[in-house]
Amino acid sequence: MPAVPGSMYGGQQGPSCFDRMKMGAMIGFCVGMASGAIFGGFTALRYGMRGRELVNSAGKAMLQAGGTFGTFMAIGTGIRC
């Protein structure tokens, strides 16, 4: 009978569910920031924004997209635990 890893022999354990949720939130935030930069930047350029106005508009879109996608990734990861 093969030994079960981590049961009685002190093997390494994987990350906890909360650690997985944190990692999912961080990955989702990064992906959301990237998509927010692309879509927010192009939208601001299309409206003719330049300089500080462009940076503020694109930054706001990046934070909104990052927060939204990070939240949903954390929830999805929590459901899978």
Side-chain angles (χ1 to χ4, degrees):
M1 181 166 115
V4 178
S7 62
M8 142 176 25
Y9 300 106
Q12 293 181 346
Q13 292 181 345
S16 68
C17 188
F18 184 68
D19 289 335
R20 289 182 185 186
M21 287 179 65
K22 285 192 301 185
M23 184 62 72
M26 286 190 289
I27 290 171
F29 187 78
C30 291
V31 169
M33 289 278 284
S35 66
I38 292 169
F39 294 122
F42 283 134
T43 301
L45 286 172
R46 192 177 70 193
Y47 287 136
M49 297 180 189
R50 297 288 186 262
R52 180 176 287 171
E53 190 179 28
L54 171 70
V55 172
N56 286 339
S57 177
K60 184 177 180 182
M62 288 170 66
L63 288 175
Q64 286 176 341
T68 301
F69 201 71
T71 300
F72 284 117
M73 281 288 289
I75 291 169
T77 306
I79 289 173
R80 289 189 59 180
C81 283

